[in-house]
Amino acid sequence: MDTEIVKRIAQLSRIALPDNELPQMASQLERIFALVAEMQAVPTEGVEAMAHPLDLRQPLRPDELRQECLSREELMASAPRAQDGLFLVPRVIE
């Protein structure tokens, strides 16, 4: 990993990286890539995928249809601003 590659990566990532930090960044990226290569070399055939390193169970409730629904009027009553049965929100895109 040389400084020219780091410059190109920074440019593609839209990251402003001062020239004096390029050698240090190149060194850090080399160490990261070496660690990734080391992890890829570990044999993982037959190893079950895990969502979490601890054997935790997520208690789930049964998915049941409930008739307890709020009416439109009840829902709209808590709206800061509403018009014609619709929530009014501030414009965020011009």
Side-chain angles (χ1 to χ4, degrees):
M1 178 75 52
D2 64 8
T3 57
E4 290 304 313
I5 293 174
V6 174
K7 273 185 185 180
R8 179 75 176 135
I9 293 170
Q11 178 193 15
L12 291 172
S13 304
R14 305 291 192 258
I15 297 172
L17 195 60
D19 287 342
N20 64 339
E21 291 183 18
L22 293 174
Q24 179 185 5
M25 184 61 65
S27 172
Q28 290 174 354
L29 286 172
E30 280 183 20
R31 291 197 323 257
I32 290 169
F33 291 142
L35 178 61
V36 169
E38 184 180 336
M39 289 190 301
Q40 286 177 334
V42 174
T44 57
E45 295 82 23
V47 176
E48 186 177 337
M50 299 170 44
H52 195 279
L54 302 177
D55 188 24
L56 300 176
R57 300 283 180 229
Q58 178 66 36
L60 300 175
R61 63 171 174 77
D63 193 12
E64 299 172 350
L65 179 62
R66 295 184 183 177
Q67 296 301 322
E68 306 168 11
C69 266
L70 295 176
S71 69
R72 177 180 285 254
E73 292 77 26
E74 291 172 312
L75 290 170
M76 298 309 289
S78 65
R81 293 179 52 212
Q83 179 181 346
D84 300 325
L86 302 173
F87 294 103
L88 297 179
V89 295
R91 173 176 268 176
V92 294
I93 299 175
E94 300 194 24

